[in-house]
Amino acid sequence: MTQASRLRDLLAQDRCHIMPCCFDALSAKLIAQEGYELTFMSGFAASASRIGAPDLGLMSYGEVADQLRNIADAVDIPVIGDGDTGYGNAMNVRRTVQGFARAGAASVMIEDQLAPKRCGHTPGKAVVGRDEAFDRIRAAVDLRAELRESGGDILILARTDARHDHGLSEAITRAEVFAELGADILFVEAPQSEAEMREVCANLPGPKMANIVEGGATPDLPNAALHDIGFSIAAYPLSVMASAMQAMVTTLRHMRQDERPGQMDFVELRRRIGFDDYYDASERYASSRRDHSG
């Protein structure tokens, strides 16, 4: 079963899947180890982790695809990749979808922002006109069909940020057309109240994703409420990264005082990274057994 098929099966379930978002291979492994059934490579978090810069369109397609490949290689759960605007026109969108499929993504998100894109909950974002927005999704869906003809597969997650400048009605209208064009998952970014979230789900078909940014524009509702509203996925793009950053800052401040804060012990750290699995596998090869020493 492909990862795209696994994601499709998850979306068919009558539940809202909690989806912590990763930013590198290690964070993805931790998410999988804790029993989550899917993850999303957050553009915000990946940009911060890989290049130490904000999610303002600074990472190139090649850097994003490489980060995604490392993440998908590290876990056996479906990974959704943040394809931003597709990195250009409709032909670039096709290349992005193909590249993400080759990297192992179960789904690729394509959005209608004006390049360079902006984080969905920060100032300065704007969207392209309808025709260009629809062309992006049409190109993604066309490439998906070509992949299937050759034995490949990937789902298309279509995102609109039109709520910010053009209102909720325009965002819903765009998402409706995305669905008509063949998008598998719909994502209206940054509804600003529970009532708006309900309006989104009531007016759009198929699986829908909520994006919960702590301190962002969209209400941080309990999972049961999100399911009742009609969402199939609840993405948490910053929770893991924010927790990791806080822990690192705390440790660094304690070290300055020659103190050691509570942290994961060395045995568990090695196990979670994969040392134990490596050692077990290496037992079959005499030349690798020296790795056990020390």
Side-chain angles (χ1 to χ4, degrees), residues 179-220:
E180 292 169 3
L181 291 171
D184 300 284
I185 310 166
L186 301 178
F187 172 22
V188 173
E189 173 65 301
Q192 297 183 7
S193 66
E194 181 176 344
E196 287 195 1
M197 297 167 82
R198 290 188 178 278
E199 188 173 350
V200 165
C201 288
N203 286 281
L204 295 176
K208 292 162 284 288
M209 187 177 88
N211 192 37
I212 310 299
V213 177
E214 292 88 345
T218 300
D220 186 356

Side-chain angles (χ1 to χ4, degrees), residues 91-252:
M91 297 305 293
N92 294 92
V93 171
R94 288 172 56 89
R95 179 172 185 250
T96 298
V97 174
Q98 184 176 58
F100 276 37
R102 288 175 175 169
S107 178
V108 54
M109 184 176 77
I110 300 294
E111 63 192 53
D112 63 356
Q113 277 200 48
L114 185 70
K117 61 81 54 79
R118 298 288 186 265
C119 167
H121 292 252
T122 57
K125 68 175 183 175
V127 294
V128 297
R130 286 186 179 185
D131 287 346
E132 185 172 354
F134 300 155
D135 269 351
R136 289 179 184 176
I137 303 306
R138 186 177 291 109
V141 170
D142 286 347
L143 200 284
R144 181 192 64 195
E146 293 173 22
L147 284 172
R148 289 176 178 172
E149 290 177 0
S150 59
D153 197 8
I154 194 168
L155 276 67
I156 307 302
L157 168 54
R159 162 178 165 171
T160 177
D161 286 77
R163 166 67 183 85
H164 184 265
D165 281 343
H166 302 281
L168 189 64
S169 177
E170 173 65 13
I172 290 174
T173 296
R174 289 186 178 214
E176 285 177 331
V177 177
F178 293 165
E180 292 169 3
L181 291 171
D184 300 284
I185 310 166
L186 301 178
F187 172 22
V188 173
E189 173 65 301
Q192 297 183 7
S193 66
E194 181 176 344
E196 287 195 1
M197 297 167 82
R198 290 188 178 278
E199 188 173 350
V200 165
C201 288
N203 286 281
L204 295 176
K208 292 162 284 288
M209 187 177 88
N211 192 37
I212 310 299
V213 177
E214 292 88 345
T218 300
D220 186 356
L221 302 176
N223 185 258
L226 294 172
H227 176 249
D228 178 69
I229 289 170
F231 291 105
S232 298
I233 302 174
Y236 294 85
L238 305 184
S239 302
V240 174
M241 185 189 70
S243 297
M245 288 178 66
Q246 182 61 66
M248 287 189 282
V249 169
T250 298
T251 295
L252 292 168

